[in-house]
Amino acid sequence: MPVIGADHTSYTVKDMKRSLAFYRDLLGFELINERPQVTNNYFRAIVGLPDSVVHAAELRIPGTSHRLELFEYKYPAGTPQDLTPNNPGSSHVCYLVDDLRALYATVQPQAERYGVQFVSEPVYLDEGPNLGGWSLYMKDPNGILIELFERAPR
């Protein structure tokens, strides 16, 4: 059977408080559910870590039904990865925005406070299938790559 849809995107984070501040407070995601200590046997079986203890949060991406799931492993603690875009295994998610330059102007001065690192300023897409749009890469407080994308005017 083929894949029929997408339910959520999940990230492992180092510090849930800082990650919630970034996704909820800065980007405007809606917090749906937070579980400070997940120890269910089914969860441990799914992730393959029989003794794991996880702080979990689920957020809704604004204007969509897609959810973002955040896990902070209290036990066992993980090792940060090098998520540079050219490294195999690196990935990113692209969030649509209405006005990238305005959002950048709002977020950039607060970047250090929220642990955000911009890879670039907004870049005008001057060729290709997204001609006329704007895009940038940034890293969340965990180094996870995020693309912010403004579609070309129609």
Side-chain angles (χ1 to χ4, degrees), residues 85-143:
N86 62 319
N87 286 336
S90 177
S91 63
H92 76 273
V93 64
C94 179
Y95 297 122
L96 297 173
V97 300
D98 289 327
D99 186 339
L100 182 58
R101 290 159 290 168
L103 180 63
Y104 178 78
T106 300
V107 173
Q108 195 278 332
Q110 302 180 70
E112 187 174 329
R113 174 180 168 209
Y114 285 95
V116 174
Q117 178 185 356
F118 284 94
V119 176
S120 71
E121 296 180 354
V123 174
Y124 179 72
L125 307 176
D126 60 1
E127 60 183 311
N130 295 308
L131 176 67
W134 290 85
S135 184
L136 65 72
Y137 268 16
M138 64 190 296
K139 293 182 179 183
D140 86 345
N142 306 283

Side-chain angles (χ1 to χ4, degrees), residues 12-86:
T12 298
V13 302
K14 181 177 181 176
D15 180 332
M16 184 63 75
K17 183 177 177 181
R18 192 164 197 181
S19 295
L20 285 175
F22 172 71
Y23 286 102
R24 180 192 57 213
D25 303 340
L26 192 61
L27 294 185
F29 287 28
E30 174 190 349
L31 181 63
I32 299 170
N33 186 0
E34 185 174 4
R35 297 180 293 163
Q37 188 164 315
V38 178
T39 58
N40 309 80
N41 289 330
Y42 77 83
F43 177 84
R44 290 171 165 178
I46 290 169
V47 300
L49 298 166
D51 297 331
S52 64
V53 178
V54 170
H55 183 172
E58 183 180 24
L59 301 103
R60 181 175 297 114
I61 297 170
T64 75
S65 62
H66 195 82
R67 292 169 291 124
L68 175 63
E69 181 179 70
L70 302 176
F71 291 155
E72 177 187 349
Y73 280 81
K74 298 295 190 177
Y75 182 84
T79 304
Q81 304 296 302
D82 181 353
L83 303 176
T84 304
N86 62 319

